[in-house]
Structures are given as C-alpha cells and as structure tokens.
C-alpha cells in the first residue's frame, strides 16, 4: 500500500523523524531542521527541504499559541529583516549550484551549523546582533533548509517561556519566507504541499510526547544527541554525494 506514491516504510520513517524533531524543538526551542533535514536528505530526499519546512510550520504554531505577549516586536522585526535578505540571497545562489552537488552542499552546511552550535559562542541580545545572526541563518536556510542555530545562542539565558515563544515565531517567519521564495523560484509546488501533509501524524505524535516529557528530559543530553545525528548525517551526505 502506498500514499502519494510512498510506501509504508518510507512513511514510517517520515513520521518517526518528524516526531523526534518535534520533541527536540518543543523541549529545547531549537533543532528541528538539524534533526529533520539531514535524516530525510539521506533516506527520503523527496520530502526535503521545502515540504518538511512547510509542515514544520505546524510545530512552531504550537510553540507560540497563547504566548505572543512574551515576544518583543522589535526583536522579531530585526530578525525578519535579516531573514528576508539572507533567505533571498540563499535562494538566488542556488541557481548557480550544480544539482548533483546539492547533497555535498547540504552535508557541508549541516557540519557548519553543528559546529556553530558546539562552538560555545556568546552573543549580546540586541537588535544589531539579531539582524546579523538572522542574515547568516537566512542564507544557510535559503541554500539548504537548515538555518543557522545561532539565534538560539543569542537567546541563551533568557526565561524559557520567552525563548520558546520568540523562537517559535522566529522560525514561523523563517519558514514562511523560505517556502514563499522557493515557490517563486519554482522549487515548491502542489505536489510538495501534498508531501507536507504526510508529516501531520509525526507532528501530532511529537507534540503528544513533548507535552509529557517537557521538564523531565535533560535538555542538554537531548541537544547532544541531536548534534550527533546531525554530524553523522552531514558526513554521510558528503561521502555519498
């Protein structure tokens, strides 16, 4: 039996991967694309990057629901400006990349993103920093669907509820820009939207699990596991690419 041309094993992989990515995102505030994109780029490339991130908008909506009052409008405006410019630049740059080299490019960007997360960087929380970090994130996201995790470092140490609400809205903006620009470039169509629907069971499962483990799970260990998966997937994409 298949759905939209995908077999049971492939759909099970998509569901489990999205569920795991949703748990990581809801519990830690970051990491969805670092779990989701590398695994699917290896095992189910038809689902990435645009269908996966279009579906991920549902995850982010659960993070901001009822919490928008905690979000600083100036911070989001600065982040949106950086993301818009960076994402446009990344999507335009794709026109100059040989499609055969995309797996290697994905792998390299995955390793760069994980390296940033591991670097122990510290940033001041101000509008200029948010813009600069968002610009970098947008370029990486436009190229691969894997946005830089630097925005999570900027908000390190802030109250958890503010972090979840702000980053949830931030990623909504990032993914809307990404999908919109990909659609304009002819890289996202109705077939991709249909593939995005197949992520819904994984999102529901992940949200259900996250609601029960939030506060009990060691976020640092979960983050470490996420980075291990990302590094391994990135290296495999480079080797296989």
């Amino acid at each position: 039996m298949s759905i939209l041309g995908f077999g049971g094993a492939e759909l099970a992989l998509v569901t489990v991967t999205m569920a795991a990515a949703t748990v990581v995102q809801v519990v830690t505030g970051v990491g969805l694309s670092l779990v989701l994109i590398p695994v699917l780029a290896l095992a189910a490339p038809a689902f990435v990057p645009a269908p996966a991130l279009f579906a991920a908008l549902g995850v982010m909506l659960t993070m901001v629901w009822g919490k928008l009052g905690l979000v600083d409008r100036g911070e989001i405006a600065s982040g949106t400006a950086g993301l818009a410019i960076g994402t446009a630049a990344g999507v335009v740059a794709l026109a100059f990349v040989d499609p055969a080299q995309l797996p290697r490019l994905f792998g390299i960007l995955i390793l760069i993103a994980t390296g940033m997360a591991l670097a122990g960087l510290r940033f001041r929380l101000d509008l200029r920093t948010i813009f600069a970090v968002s610009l970098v994130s947008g370029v990486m996201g436009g190229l691969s669907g894997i946005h830089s995790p630097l925005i999570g470092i900027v908000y390190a140490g802030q109250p958890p509820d503010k972090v979840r609400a702000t980053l949830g809205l931030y990623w909504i903006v990032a993914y809307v820009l990404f999908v919109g620009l990909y659609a304009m470039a002819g890289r996202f169509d109705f077939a991709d939207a249909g593939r995005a629907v197949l992520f819904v069971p994984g999102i529901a499962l992940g949200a259900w699990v996250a609601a029960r483990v939030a506060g009990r799970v060691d976020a640092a260990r979960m983050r470490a596991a996420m980075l291990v998966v990302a590094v391994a997937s990135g290296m495999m994409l480079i080797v296989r690419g």
Side-chain angles (χ1 to χ4, degrees):
M1 178 182 178
S2 67
I3 300 176
L4 296 180
F6 299 101
E10 199 166 17
L11 294 175
L13 173 68
V14 167
T15 298
V16 170
T17 305
M18 177 54 98
T22 299
V23 172
V24 169
Q25 181 69 38
V26 173
V27 172
T28 69
V30 293
L32 182 142
S33 65
L34 274 176
V35 173
L36 191 62
I37 302 299
V39 174
L40 295 184
L42 281 168
F47 288 93
V48 293
L53 295 190
F54 184 59
L57 286 168
V59 179
M60 304 310 163
L61 287 170
T62 68
M63 292 179 63
V64 303
W65 191 264
K67 298 177 182 176
L68 287 179
L70 300 172
V71 176
D72 184 293
R73 294 182 181 180
E75 292 171 7
I76 286 296
S78 184
T80 298
L83 285 168
I85 296 170
T87 304
V91 172
V92 169
L94 271 179
F96 302 95
V97 178
D98 180 354
Q101 297 301 317
L102 281 178
R104 285 196 179 93
L105 175 63
F106 276 32
I108 290 168
L109 291 176
I110 290 165
L111 294 183
I112 290 173
T114 51
M116 288 176 175
L118 289 166
L121 301 173
R122 293 289 183 272
F123 295 110
R124 179 186 299 179
L125 179 56
D126 60 34
L127 299 186
R128 200 172 288 180
T129 302
I130 291 171
F131 175 83
V133 163
S134 299
L135 187 66
V136 172
S137 185
V139 171
M140 291 182 63
L143 281 167
S144 68
I146 302 169
H147 294 76
S148 158
L150 291 177
I151 193 65
I153 299 171
V154 172
Y155 280 92
Q158 296 297 305
D161 284 345
K162 176 184 177 178
V163 172
R164 291 190 183 94
T166 302
L167 294 186
L169 184 55
Y170 181 90
W171 295 124
I172 287 172
V173 171
Y175 294 168
V176 166
L177 285 168
F178 174 87
V179 172
L181 287 169
Y182 260 53
M184 290 173 61
R187 294 175 177 269
F188 181 81
D189 55 23
F190 287 112
D192 291 317
R195 294 184 186 104
V197 173
L198 301 179
F199 286 96
V200 171
I203 294 173
L205 176 60
W208 183 84
V209 172
R212 282 151 182 79
V213 303
R216 302 180 191 177
V217 175
D218 186 333
R221 290 184 179 179
M222 178 176 287
R223 178 176 176 272
M226 169 192 76
L227 294 175
V228 168
V229 170
V231 169
S233 299
M235 292 179 69
M236 289 181 67
L237 280 167
I238 292 172
V239 172
R240 287 178 51 180

